Amino acid sequence: MNSPDLYLEAADWLVISVYLVGIILFGLRFGRDQKSARDYFLGSKNIPWWGVGFSIVATETSALTFIGVPALAYGTNLAFVQIIIGYVIARIVLAIVLVPHYFKGEIYSPYQLFSDAFGPAARRTAAGIFLIAGTLAAGVRVYVTCIPIQLMLRTDKWVQGGGGILAAILLFVGLSLIYTYAGGIKAVVWTDAVQFVLFLAGGVFTLLYIPQLFDGGFQEVLSKAAKGGKLEWLNVHFSLAMPYNLWMGVIGGTVHVMSSHGADQLLVQRVLTCKSVADGRKALLLSALIIFPLFVIFLLTGAMLWVYYQQFPLAIPIPATTAGVSKDDYIYPIFILTAVPPILKGFLIVAILSAAMSSVSSALAALASVSTMDVIQGLWRSERSEKDLLKFSRYSTLYWAAALIGVAYASREVPFVLNAAFALTGLTSGAMLGGLLTALFTKKGSAAPVIVGMATSLAVMIVVQLETNIAWPWFTLVGATITVLVAVLMRGILSIEKPDDESLK
């Protein structure tokens, strides 16, 4: 490296370019057999369960996770692993309890289950919440991901005057859009599977590489990490606030993932592409087997990075931080840029790009599916041909790509929106899970009780976030409980006010 400003060499750019071209061409090949909305949004329901399992993990492991989880361990310790215990438990519960409901008929999203129980109004309410929350959360995730990636790809050097972040946003959304638009969910799932392998390899490489920089190898690095408190992970003290504790993980983490993997189209859509209940269950259980060691790898990477930077100084200064990104979030990217040899550096950047593109393509597929099948299709006055529906589905994908770009770019100027959007998933996840549980496990009836329950949950959760110090892993449990209680209570009140005909005889 000739100067601190020369971050990438020709060999690194070659690796990155080959990946980008290769993943797009790989995704495009799935567009040849798209003939209907069923093909586009459900992948013809013939995708192997193991591919779906990899895709589930890739979808929930964004570039922000790839960068942010090591940063979390770098700044604190391994306590976040307690939350991952809940992530595993939730998948087992969902595989047993919820997956069978997704294969009762032709289901395009979990919001169809609202319609089966309470009618189209409930379905559109749930779909609307997902579309608003999903767009804001995904758009902000793109923005925050592009901040450290802008540092690595140096898009700020391509476009002066603050346009570098826009260049990075357009790059990721645009490249992900190409194969998502053409190949639909099948292209998304299979590119996710490839991208999962790449960022897993990146994490494993870093974990093996850092100890090689010390004379004592693994033993020295782990010993220093332990002495620095970086390997501590268990906290059995119950608390609704931070720091992370075992109860927060086992209870809060479990309920949180029951919503994200059971009531959020972003991840449920993958299960819906399986051909049977058995395959859907195996896909979720495979993701349960993978997610724990994957996060352990990233957490240990962060602990090792702390050891590394206790001995070696930062080669370049940490850039000015912004809302949603802490100084620790730059540690891993800076390590990749300054401490990893060429070519290997390119492969690690590819791993981060893989996680970023996986998140974008998954969001596009989910948003297009819900807007088309849960909202727009029900408003059409006449039947549309499969060709017309497929065409509209692709137009929807284009629309949501533009929406993600708009939200991502707007986030750079409005820190409040940025912070609110990150919390929005926690604010809405309880309402969505509570509404789904009400739809599945209570009697069919009017949509009003569940709609009021979900609205009440959203209102209360806003107050909880602004006025209390309750930590985010508890949000879903609180929100779901409020939704169910209000819906059941209101249904009871309505049944008293309107007795059935038998009671009047």
Side-chain angles (χ1 to χ4, degrees):
M1 187 173 294
N2 297 325
S3 73
D5 196 44
L6 183 59
Y7 296 121
L8 295 178
E9 299 185 11
D12 300 315
W13 282 112
L14 178 62
V15 171
I16 295 169
S17 300
V18 169
Y19 159 72
L20 292 175
V21 173
I23 201 69
I24 290 172
L25 293 177
F26 178 70
L28 285 174
R29 65 188 292 268
F30 295 101
R32 292 174 294 184
D33 59 351
Q34 303 296 316
K35 298 178 181 178
S36 66
R38 185 177 189 272
D39 296 332
Y40 197 68
F41 292 133
L42 297 180
S44 306
K45 294 186 77 70
N46 62 5
I47 301 177
W49 61 267
W50 54 268
V52 174
F54 289 161
S55 178
I56 290 172
V57 178
T59 298
E60 63 185 312
T61 311
S62 65
L64 201 56
T65 305
F66 194 102
I67 294 170
V69 172
L72 185 63
Y74 178 91
T76 57
N77 51 35
L78 307 185
F80 187 76
V81 78
Q82 296 167 109
I83 301 296
I84 311 306
I85 295 172
Y87 286 14
V88 174
I89 296 172
R91 286 163 164 82
I92 297 172
V93 174
L94 290 172
I96 296 170
V97 178
L98 211 55
V99 168
H101 292 281
Y102 294 145
F103 292 87
K104 294 179 179 179
E106 190 85 319
I107 302 293
Y108 280 83
S109 82
Y111 316 125
Q112 284 182 240
L113 300 175
F114 285 74
S115 182
D116 295 341
F118 306 123
R123 176 181 182 177
R124 292 192 189 112
T125 299
I129 292 173
F130 167 76
L131 291 174
I132 295 171
T135 304
L136 288 175
V140 168
R141 198 177 298 118
V142 169
Y143 167 70
V144 177
T145 298
C146 284
I147 295 173
I149 289 179
Q150 178 189 214
L151 171 70
M152 293 186 290
L153 297 186
R154 304 308 289 157
T155 57
D156 57 332
K157 297 296 183 181
W158 310 349
V159 184
Q160 301 296 326
I165 192 68
L166 178 60
I169 291 168
L170 291 172
L171 176 69
F172 288 110
V173 177
L175 292 175
S176 302
L177 172 64
I178 294 172
Y179 61 80
T180 307
Y181 175 87
I185 190 63
K186 187 174 287 187
V188 172
V189 168
W190 283 117
T191 52
D192 277 356
V194 173
Q195 289 160 341
F196 161 74
V197 172
L198 291 173
F199 66 69
L200 173 61
V204 172
F205 167 78
T206 310
L207 198 65
L208 298 176
Y209 178 72
I210 294 177
Q212 308 310 313
L213 305 176
F214 291 80
D215 294 335
F218 273 99
Q219 185 174 357
E220 179 183 351
V221 172
L222 292 178
S223 175
K224 289 182 176 180
K227 289 179 181 177
K230 294 300 172 180
L231 300 186
E232 295 177 4
W233 67 274
L234 183 62
N235 175 15
V236 296
H237 175 70
F238 178 85
S239 173
L240 293 177
M242 291 299 186
Y244 296 113
N245 58 77
L246 187 61
W247 306 105
M248 187 183 289
V250 172
I251 302 173
T254 297
V255 178
H256 175 76
V257 172
M258 284 180 65
S259 179
S260 65
H261 289 59
D264 191 321
Q265 175 71 348
L266 191 67
L267 288 157
V268 174
Q269 189 176 16
R270 275 119 195 84
V271 178
L272 297 177
T273 64
C274 293
K275 62 182 178 181
S276 66
V277 172
D279 278 8
R281 283 173 164 167
K282 285 189 284 188
L284 269 176
L285 294 176
L286 175 62
S287 74
L289 289 174
I290 294 171
I291 197 68
F292 191 87
L294 179 68
F295 271 81
V296 169
I297 288 170
F298 287 137
L299 287 167
L300 285 174
T301 294
M304 289 185 175
L305 285 171
W306 180 85
V307 173
Y308 177 84
Y309 283 114
Q310 298 306 300
Q311 180 166 326
F312 303 100
L314 281 168
I316 59 175
I318 294 176
T321 59
T322 185
V325 178
S326 71
K327 63 178 183 179
D328 290 343
D329 290 320
Y330 285 100
I331 293 298
Y332 194 15
I334 288 175
F335 174 80
I336 292 171
L337 291 170
T338 59
V340 178
I343 299 181
L344 293 175
K345 182 192 306 179
F347 277 109
L348 279 178
I349 292 176
V350 160
I352 296 177
L353 300 186
S354 296
M357 293 177 68
S358 171
S359 298
V360 173
S361 61
S362 298
L364 292 177
L367 291 167
S369 173
V370 171
S371 61
T372 301
M373 306 306 294
D374 290 295
V375 180
I376 301 299
Q377 188 182 39
L379 300 177
W380 282 333
R381 295 182 178 179
S382 60
E383 287 278 337
R384 300 296 177 98
S385 68
E386 287 295 340
K387 183 178 180 181
D388 288 340
L389 190 57
L390 176 59
K391 183 184 295 185
F392 184 86
S393 300
R394 286 186 167 140
Y395 288 159
S396 295
T397 305
L398 288 173
Y399 169 81
W400 291 113
L404 293 190
I405 291 171
V407 172
Y409 191 59
S411 297
R412 82 198 191 287
E413 298 290 348
V414 191
F416 175 78
V417 172
L418 180 63
N419 296 330
F422 269 125
L424 196 56
T425 300
L427 297 179
T428 60
S429 60
M432 299 297 277
L433 178 61
L436 183 62
L437 293 176
T438 304
L440 292 177
F441 302 112
T442 64
K443 294 180 180 180
K444 295 181 179 181
S446 167
V450 72
I451 292 175
V452 172
M454 294 170 73
T456 304
S457 174
L458 291 174
V460 172
M461 291 313 301
I462 291 173
V463 175
V464 167
Q465 190 199 2
L466 295 177
E467 302 296 334
T468 74
N469 63 348
I470 295 175
W472 66 266
W474 295 109
F475 281 12
T476 305
L477 176 61
V478 175
T481 302
I482 292 170
T483 302
V484 173
L485 290 178
V486 171
V488 171
L489 179 62
M490 185 173 177
R491 173 174 285 190
I493 294 173
L494 291 176
S495 66
I496 294 174
E497 293 179 350
K498 297 181 179 180
D500 58 38
D501 293 339
E502 291 298 321
S503 64
L504 294 176
K505 293 181 180 179

